Amino acid sequence: MNQSLPILTSSGGYGHISATIALEEALHAAGIATHRVFALTDIVGSCDAMARLSCGRLSGEDLYNILLRRRHYGAINGIVSIGLSYYAWKKRRMDALCRAYIEREMPQAVISVAPLINGSMARACAATGIPFYVIPTDFDMRLFVDDFTAEGCNTTTVLLPFEHEALSRQMPSYVSWVVNGPVVRSQFFEPCDRAQTRDDLGIDPKTKMVVAMLGGQGVASATDIVDSLSSHTNPRTIATINAPPKSAQSRSATTTVKEFSFRTDIARFIKAADLLVTKGGSMSVLEALVSKTPLLLDATRGMLRWEKFNYGFIEESGYGKRAETLADMRRATDEILSGSFAYGRDLPGLRLSGAVALAQRITEHLSPNRLQAPDQIQS
C-alpha cells in the first residue's frame, strides 16, 4: 500500500506543472507526502501513438510542446482532435492500464491535474473504493470530464476554482463537484507591496508595468507582440517572460523592455503589474484573476480550441480584453492602461486556496495514521 499520494500530471505546456507545484506545496505543509506521476507516459504510455511512431524518441506531449513554442495552434488543434478519437478507440486498453496501476500501487487517494485519462482512472478508483480528485487546469473542461461514465464516478469529485454557471454547467449530472478554490501557488494569496516589488525588479515606478508572459514553455516568435505593446506617448515598462524581444532601437523612447527568464516567483510579477499579456492558458488567467490584474489575451495567431472559452469569458466578465490583431493589441493596451477600464466583480470562491482546501479535505476524509509526512517516506 502506497502512503504517498500520486498527483497525476502532464508535461504538455506548463499549466499542469504549475498546478502540481501548488498542490505539492500545500499538501507537504499539511504533512501529506506526494509523488508526481506523468500519467500519459507513466501509466498509459503504451497507448501513445507518437511514441510508437518515433520508436520512443518523441512523446505526444513532446510534440505538443514543440508546436506550442512555435505558436502552431492550428496544428495542435488538429492533432488533439485526432488524439481524442484515438484515445476513445483505446478506451478499454486505458481502463485496463489504469486498473493495473491502482491495484499495483493501492494509494489512499488519487489527485489528477492531467487531461484525457480521468474517465479511465475514475473507473479504476470506483472499482477499488479509492477517492479520486480531479482538478481541471482548463476552464473548458471537456478534456478532463468528457470521458466519465455514470457507473464509474462514485468515488470521483471534480474541484472547481470558483463559482460560475459557465463552469458548473459543464459537469455531467452524474459527476460530483464542489467549488474548491483556485489551485495556484500560495504567493498569489499573500499581500504584495507593488512599489517595493517594482523597485526590486528595477522597474521605474512612474511607468505602467506590462508583463508579457506567453507560456511557461516560451514563445520564441512573439517579438511582434512585444513591439505592439510599445507606446510613443505613455511611459511604460514591458517585462517579458520567456519572450525575447527585438532590438530596443525599434521602440519608442518612452518604452523600456526588461527581459526575464521563466521564474518560480512569477506571482510577484503578476501582482505588481498593471496588465498581464498572455496567450490565454487557464492557469495564467486564473493567476491573474486571483491577483486582480487586468488581462490581454493574445489571439493574433489563433488559439487552442480548449482555450477559446477563456477569451470570451474574460471579456464578457470584465476581466480584460482579447486581441486578434496587433492593432487590437495596441488599442486594448492603451485602454486598460489609461485607467478607463472597469474591472469586473470578484468571483465567489476565488479568494480561497484550492490547494490548501484539498489538503484539508484529504486530512478530514483519510485517517491521519494512514498518511505519511514527506520526511517519513522510506527510500
Side-chain angles (χ1 to χ4, degrees), residues 34-363:
T34 68
H35 59 280
R36 296 183 189 185
V37 178
F38 289 90
L40 297 179
T41 53
D42 297 344
I43 299 177
V44 296
S46 62
C47 295
D48 189 328
M50 180 53 59
R52 294 169 70 91
L53 290 171
S54 65
C55 298
R57 291 189 295 271
L58 195 71
S59 70
E61 291 161 305
D62 293 333
L63 178 61
Y64 175 92
N65 290 332
I66 291 170
L67 295 172
L68 184 64
R69 283 193 292 271
R70 290 163 173 74
R71 299 171 74 195
H72 293 328
Y73 302 144
I76 294 174
N77 290 335
I79 291 170
V80 170
S81 294
I82 295 170
L84 287 173
S85 298
Y86 174 77
Y87 278 123
W89 177 54
K90 288 284 187 178
K91 176 181 173 181
R92 291 181 63 182
R93 175 62 177 162
M94 291 179 67
D95 282 5
L97 290 169
C98 287
R99 182 67 179 267
Y101 169 81
I102 289 296
E103 291 178 347
R104 180 176 67 251
E105 299 294 325
M106 289 303 295
Q108 301 303 301
V110 179
I111 304 165
S112 175
V113 297
L116 302 173
I117 196 173
N118 295 312
S120 293
M121 187 57 67
R123 289 183 283 276
C125 289
T128 48
I130 292 174
F132 182 42
Y133 301 100
V134 178
I135 302 168
T137 56
D138 289 309
F139 297 160
D140 180 340
M141 296 179 282
R142 286 175 292 180
L143 294 179
F144 293 82
V145 304
D146 270 8
D147 56 343
F148 286 141
T149 53
E151 67 278 7
C153 286
N154 58 303
T155 64
T156 294
T157 305
V158 178
L159 308 179
L160 303 184
F162 50 81
E163 184 179 338
H164 198 284
E165 183 187 6
L167 300 186
S168 59
R169 70 186 177 203
Q170 297 180 52
M171 292 293 101
S173 60
Y174 46 80
V175 174
S176 174
W177 59 271
V178 296
V179 175
N180 187 69
V183 176
V184 298
R185 298 191 70 177
S186 60
Q187 294 95 320
F188 285 97
F189 298 97
E190 297 170 357
C192 173
D193 185 331
R194 294 178 56 160
Q196 183 61 53
T197 298
R198 294 186 186 198
D199 185 61
D200 293 343
L201 297 174
I203 292 174
D204 186 345
K206 299 184 181 68
T207 67
K208 295 291 187 179
M209 179 178 172
V210 179
V211 173
M213 185 177 70
L214 297 168
Q217 293 291 338
V219 182
S221 59
T223 54
D224 51 350
I225 292 175
V226 178
D227 277 340
S228 73
L229 299 174
S230 300
S231 171
H232 292 278
T233 54
N234 300 316
R236 65 188 58 165
T237 299
I238 303 170
T240 66
I241 313 294
N242 269 26
K246 296 176 182 176
S247 168
Q249 294 177 352
S250 67
R251 301 200 175 86
S252 69
T254 59
T255 300
T256 302
V257 178
K258 297 182 71 70
E259 303 174 42
F260 298 91
S261 60
F262 198 79
R263 305 161 64 103
T264 57
D265 63 344
I266 194 64
R268 298 177 67 216
F269 286 77
I270 296 176
K271 290 171 74 69
D274 295 293
L275 173 64
L276 173 64
V277 182
T278 183
K279 76 173 185 66
S282 294
M283 290 304 296
S284 297
V285 171
L286 191 57
E287 290 167 350
L289 290 176
V290 173
S291 305
K292 291 190 174 181
T293 300
L295 283 152
L296 176 54
L297 299 188
D298 167 40
T300 55
R301 296 195 184 178
M303 61 189 80
L304 297 175
R305 179 171 59 84
W306 50 94
E307 292 179 356
K308 287 182 179 179
F309 175 94
N310 302 347
Y311 290 79
F313 176 74
I314 68 104
E315 201 160 44
E316 292 165 8
S317 302
Y319 304 120
K321 299 284 185 178
R322 62 190 286 175
E324 297 185 3
T325 67
L326 295 178
D328 289 344
M329 189 162 288
R330 293 187 191 96
R331 284 192 295 268
T333 302
D334 290 341
E335 177 185 346
I336 292 173
L337 296 183
S338 70
S340 62
F341 177 74
Y343 193 78
R345 67 177 181 85
D346 213 6
L347 291 163
L350 197 61
R351 302 295 147 214
L352 306 171
S353 168
V356 171
L358 178 58
Q360 294 171 343
R361 187 181 301 273
I362 289 174
T363 301

